[in-house]
Amino acid sequence: MQALNKLNYIYHSMPQDLEARQYDVLIVGAGPAGCACALTLKDAGLKVALLDKATFPRDKVCGDAIPGRAIKTLKSISPAYEDAFRKFANKCATRQTAIHYKGRSVTFKWVGEAYTCTRMEFDNFLFSLVKEHTDTAIYTDTLPHSFIQDNGGFSITSKNSDLVFHSRILVGADGAQSAVAKKLANRTLDRQHHVGSVRAYFKNVANLDPGTTEIYFDKKFLPSYLWVFPLPGNMANVGFGMLSSEIAKKKINLKTTFYDFVDQNPALKLRFRDATQTGDLEGFGLPLGSRITTLSGNHFMLVGDAASLIDPFSGDGIGNAMLSGKLAAEQAVHCFKADNFTAPLMSGYDRALTGMLGKELRARHKAQRTLSKMPFLLDTIFTACRSNSIKRIIQKGL
Ligand SMILES: Cc1cc2nc3c(=O)[nH]c(=O)nc-3n(C[C@H](O)[C@H](O)[C@H](O)COP(=O)(O)OP(=O)(O)OC[C@H]3O[C@@H](n4cnc5c(N)ncnc54)[C@H](O)[C@@H]3O)c2cc1C
């Protein structure tokens, strides 16, 4: 983090003739992390801008499982937003997960609530909340080109427009390939802490239960799994992901492996016999929260995938992204009250986030590593689950 305190990230010179649009907080990226940040800043009395390279609605490659933490975070920002989500129709309430392995299956009921909903719709729902309920200035189809730090904050130029922005605080919410994290935190890809994955939508997968998410393990790929997540309209989000270091080591072609997985599993083969794939099989990366990365520095914070916060065991990242966006907004308010934007004060965000997620992410990383080193544990779990009381204990741990 110390390296970041140096003003050493001047990449391009700023056009001198353009007047900068002045903001207190500029959020780059309008996914769940960026929107949660903008929603939390409502009524903070700050001038906020939200900038995204895409136009909404836009797709995001994902499993489309909306974890309970996402809804809890929305509620903690405002119960009205939670209400709006409950009224939002295009979702399935999922109450259990069926795990399939070697022809056997075991079902775990969830204690908390969870949903599935396409990211096209969920992210557009969050984006609409920002548009309708806050005074955030929104710039879509805007790709930042340079981030120039001066004593007062950051000047940001955009690639595809002549706009120039100046902001006291920059929030990097621009996802797994974050330009902000690369430029301000020298973020590089670490294959040990990164998952490569593919997903496609299918219609008419046989025996799909709208209340059940499904996971298929195969002993060749443990602890990786193929997921079948139900969506409204008899659709399913089906995908497969693997640690990127394993993909590189074993020279795995994810797309071929995905189709082989379905074809070589007798139960899946049967269920997909009359199913139709709608759209392409698309790939994207998951930066896992199993390593410590820079979260903030002078005048900036990183949130969501830009901060590598994805659960290393389940692959869930939406809830953590929203929580980090909310905490970053709270830190921004704190910085303005103290009129101090230096790294030592900004690191209050790091402490708040690691205080809430650190222990959990470490435990989930341990679970991921244990299963990859001791795949026989999965057999043990299946055997142990014959007993309902042991099953309940395992269920609590999940
Ligand atoms: C295949 C796959 C399956 C997954 N399944 C699940 C799941 O089922 N449940 C779950 O909870 N999580 C899942 N995740 C993780 C989840 O998708 C992410 O953790 C979550 O999207 C993070 O939100 P975010 O707001 O940080 O980033 P994003 O959702 O990626 O949003 C980033 C935003 O920034 C914009 N942007 C990107 N670059 C720039 C730039 N340079 N300038 C301006 N804007 C930019 C993008 O257009 C986008 O709108 C999955 C991920 C993958 C890849």
Side-chain angles (χ1 to χ4, degrees), residues 174-326:
D174 49 342
Q177 294 165 353
S178 169
V180 180
K182 273 181 207 149
K183 291 184 176 174
L184 306 189
N186 298 320
R187 181 74 44 77
T188 51
L189 184 135
D190 181 342
R191 289 196 170 84
Q192 295 285 352
H193 302 278
H194 184 272
V195 162
S197 59
V198 288
R199 78 93 172 91
Y201 289 110
F202 285 82
K203 196 166 178 57
N204 296 331
V205 175
N207 301 325
L208 200 64
D209 171 12
T212 308
T213 52
E214 295 182 64
I215 301 286
Y216 283 80
F217 284 109
D218 182 312
K219 70 175 187 319
K220 273 191 295 210
F221 304 115
L222 285 172
S224 307
Y225 58 80
L226 181 132
W227 69 82
V228 181
F229 291 171
L231 286 166
N234 206 23
M235 294 290 294
N237 177 318
V238 188
F240 176 72
M242 257 187 119
L243 211 55
S244 297
S245 52
E246 289 295 299
I247 296 175
K249 196 167 93 189
K250 296 180 180 158
K251 296 191 171 50
I252 283 179
N253 178 326
L254 272 186
K255 292 195 173 181
T256 315
T257 306
F258 173 84
Y259 290 114
D260 286 350
F261 198 124
V262 175
D263 209 42
Q264 287 165 16
N265 179 302
L268 280 173
K269 192 174 179 176
L270 200 61
R271 293 182 64 193
F272 278 76
R273 199 183 53 194
D274 299 322
T276 324
Q277 184 178 330
T278 63
D280 294 334
L281 180 65
E282 293 190 72
F284 209 73
L286 293 86
L288 303 179
S290 49
R291 64 168 170 160
I292 294 164
T293 58
T294 300
L295 297 172
S296 68
N298 281 331
H299 291 272
F300 79 89
M301 287 174 274
L302 299 172
V303 296
D305 282 7
S308 291
L309 296 177
I310 294 181
D311 183 316
F313 192 62
S314 69
D316 283 355
I318 301 168
N320 293 353
M322 292 180 66
L323 177 65
S324 64
K326 176 180 181 259

Side-chain angles (χ1 to χ4, degrees), residues 28-34 51-54 56 58 60-67 119 123 142-144 173-177 179 197-199 227 229 284-286 303-306 310 315-319 321:
V28 179
L51 181 156
D52 202 290
K53 66 176 183 181
F56 282 70
R58 60 103 184 91
K60 156 77 178 84
V61 177
C62 186
D64 296 338
I66 315 296
R119 289 293 298 276
D123 289 21
T142 305
L143 183 64
D174 49 342
Q177 294 165 353
S197 59
V198 288
R199 78 93 172 91
W227 69 82
F229 291 171
F284 209 73
L286 293 86
V303 296
D305 282 7
I310 294 181
D316 283 355
I318 301 168

Side-chain angles (χ1 to χ4, degrees), residues 100-163:
H100 305 270
Y101 185 52
K102 292 183 180 170
R104 292 182 290 172
S105 38
V106 59
T107 301
F108 293 102
K109 288 199 189 318
W110 296 119
V111 184
E113 62 177 340
Y115 298 87
T116 54
C117 173
T118 68
R119 289 293 298 276
M120 178 83 94
E121 288 167 300
F122 182 69
D123 289 21
N124 197 48
F125 161 77
L126 293 176
F127 183 71
S128 306
L129 288 182
V130 177
K131 253 188 2 192
E132 286 162 26
H133 298 277
T134 74
D135 294 329
T136 309
I138 293 174
Y139 300 89
T140 52
D141 194 20
T142 305
L143 183 64
H145 179 50
S146 65
F147 305 91
I148 304 165
Q149 195 174 40
D150 54 38
N151 285 333
F154 279 93
S155 290
I156 296 109
T157 59
S158 71
K159 206 169 191 169
N160 48 349
S161 73
D162 284 339
L163 300 180

